[in-house]
Each structure stands twice: as C-alpha cells, then as structure tokens.
Amino acid sequence: MTTDATRTGDEPRAADATRTDDEPRAADATRTGDEADVTDVRDVPAGAVEPSSDGGPPATDDPAGPTTAVRGGGFWAWTALGLVVVVGLAALTRYLEQNVPTWAEGTAIEDFGAAIEYPVYAILLGLLGNVAVTLLGWRDRIAAAFRTEFFIKTGLVLLGASINLAVIASAAGPAIAQAILLISGVFLFTWWLAGKFGLDDKLRALLASAVSICGVSAAIAAAGAVRARREQLAYTASLVIVFALPSIFILPWLADVFGLSDAVAGAWIGGNIDTTAAVTAAGALAGEEALQIASIVKVTQNALMGVVAVALTAYFTLRVERRPGAARPGLGELWRRFPKFVLGFIAASVIATWYLDAAGSDGKATIAIVNDLRVWFLILAFVSIGLEVRVASLREAGWRPVAVFASATVFNLALALALASLLFRNFSA
C-alpha cells in the first residue's frame, strides 16, 4: 500500500464529493494525476508510517505534514521478505501459464486450459497469498514491497512497444473508424448506465474504459486519471477476466452461426473481447484472416487508450472534483493530474514503430524481449493487487457493477457487430 507522498502539509484532505452513501470515502483528492488513489484511510493502522510511492520519505495523514521515520533493519528485512513473496508468486504464475496448456492437452479441458491467461493465475495466487500473510500477521509489515503502481506503470509503458503504428495504418480506414465509434458509443453507454445504477464516478470511469477499450490495461490507465481506489481496480480487473474467458469460445461460434466473413468476424472479435491475448485466442479459432483483422482492430483500440486517459483527466478535474465556486483549473492543474506514464506508452509505440521499420525482421526478436518483460511487470502488478485487496471493500460494491458490466458487454456485442458488418463487409486483407 502506498500513501500520498505529494500532498503538502498545509492542504486539507478533500472528501470524494461524488461518492454514494454506500461507497467508502476515497482517499486524498489532491493526489497527483499519475498516481491511482489506492489508499483507503481506514486501512492505515494508527501511528503507522508508510513509504511514499516514489521511494522518498514516508508520508502520513497528519495535516501538519509528513513526519520523519527512521527505517531500521527490521523495515528492510520485512520489505525483503515481501519482495520474496511477490516475486515467488509471480514466478509461480509464469510457470502455470506456460505449463497448464501442456498438462491439459488431450483432456476435456484442453481448450479451457489453453485459454486461461496470466492475470487469472496472478490475481488468484495474490489472493491466496493475501490470506496466508494475513493469517501469519505479516501483511502490514511486508506491504512496502507491494509496488503495484510502479509495476503497473512500467508494464503499460512497455505495452506501447507492442503497438506498431505502421500495422494500424495498413487497415487505417475501417479499423480506426470502428475503434473511434465503438469506444465512444460503448463508453458513453456504460457511463450512463452506471450512473443510473448509482455507482461512484471513479468506478464508472474504470468500468466504461475497460469495456470500451482494452480491458485491464485501460482500467489501469483510467485509474491513474481519476485516482480510483485499488479495490475498484481489482473489482474491474476481475470482471474483465470473468467475461473474457467464455468470449474466447462463444464469439467464434456465433460468427460461424451468423455466417460472417472472416474479415467481419475478426473485426467483431477484436472490438469485443477486452484482453489482447484473449482476442488472439478467439481469432485463431475463427481463422487466419480473422486473427489478422482482430489483432489490428484490438491494437487500434489499445492505441486510443491515451486519448481516453487525457479526456478523463480533464473531465474529473473540471467537473467531477471541482468545488462549487472554485476557480476554473488551468493547464497546470491538468498537467499535474495527467497520468504521465501514458506519455511513455505513446513514446514506446513511436520508438518501436521506427525501430521495426529500420531493423526489419531482425527487430522482432528485440520487441519480443520487451513484450516478455512487460508480461513480467504486469504479473507482478496483478499479484500485488491480489495481496493488497481488502475483501470487505469488494463486498461493498455489491451486484450493481456486475449488472452494469454485463449489460455493457451485450451492448458492445451488438454495436460492434453492426460496425464490423458495415465497415469490413467488402474488406480484403
């Protein structure tokens, strides 16, 4: 767990003016924009001093300012133990991801075993580890090792290297048109529906981003823009995984039932399934051409993640968290709130595109190494989320986010099918 290391001592803690009565109070509303609001003030033991998210001096909730704490040998010993736990669970996650498909070959669960992605193992193992370290009384002592924000942001920056802008340009017309129309339509529908269900604005932003763009990665970017609580991010990530797994098998089957062409089927799959790996699995089941189109459509949507992060930053700064009578925030405030790792994501995309163009086929091996490193960082992030999550906070969300996510998924299916049929009807790869 990290605390707000950037709040100055003379700034009072702002309440989350948008929360509903059954939502817990969000932490410091003056946090910088590139850090998700992952601290629930109720979780910090009295008198506890936690390290800042950037490795600087510890920060406290004392309005008089941060206090000085001496990190003795005990602190570093417990932190080292925490790192062993996190890295160990991450290694076990990678082991299961790589070996379960082999173990499942020739059995009734072969397709299911091959479809399970690393976020499933990572979050489940993190939750199991959470239970174990809580029972042992270690959880708060080793919490400094749960560097979720660092792992997430590093992983997302590296994700940018997998987005070849030249590939997007090869199907620029229909892919970009579908991405813009689909993201806009599904995001606005989900945002509206979540409001009707009375969900907190921050959770609304996470759900809408996850359904409309690219699942967990988009939810992470949105969390940085709106400063959502870590429990909200964990809840959203869990919903993405639960809905993505059956989609791998259902959408190729429905594409065959509807008699869709490979191009339309691929565009439909790429515009619906919320994780890139699941899109690849479903596209492969639908056929080679469908896989190519699905990958291009999904990568195009991923590339628009930064645009949505900018829009959310501006909306929450200017509308949601702006106090009545307060001066209109300027560009400086927007820059302070903006999740700056998105700039790294964009830079990585540009650099990777240039590198592949210059190095040719030899550059793919280098990009593969970067992608593997990205997977490791995201595994560490998902393990840390599982270790940090508070079950009580998840229970407070109740059934409403599930209903919103399910309804938005159905709307996404219908709108994506209509757009794919219109834009890719005469498309030839």
Side-chain angles (χ1 to χ4, degrees), residues 47 94 157 200 209 214 241 266 268 301 324 344 354 421:
R94 204 68 197 269
V157 169
D200 171 76
S209 300
C214 54
I241 293 168
W268 189 42
Q301 291 189 189
W354 168 82
S421 300

Side-chain angles (χ1 to χ4, degrees), residues 274-320:
D274 291 323
T275 67
T276 303
V279 166
T280 302
L285 292 176
E288 182 62 29
E289 183 181 351
L291 173 59
Q292 293 177 10
I293 300 299
S295 300
I296 291 173
V297 169
K298 177 52 62 178
V299 166
T300 304
Q301 291 189 189
N302 290 353
L304 294 175
M305 180 172 62
V307 177
V308 174
V310 173
L312 284 172
T313 299
Y315 181 76
F316 269 73
T317 302
L318 298 174
R319 294 287 301 275
V320 175

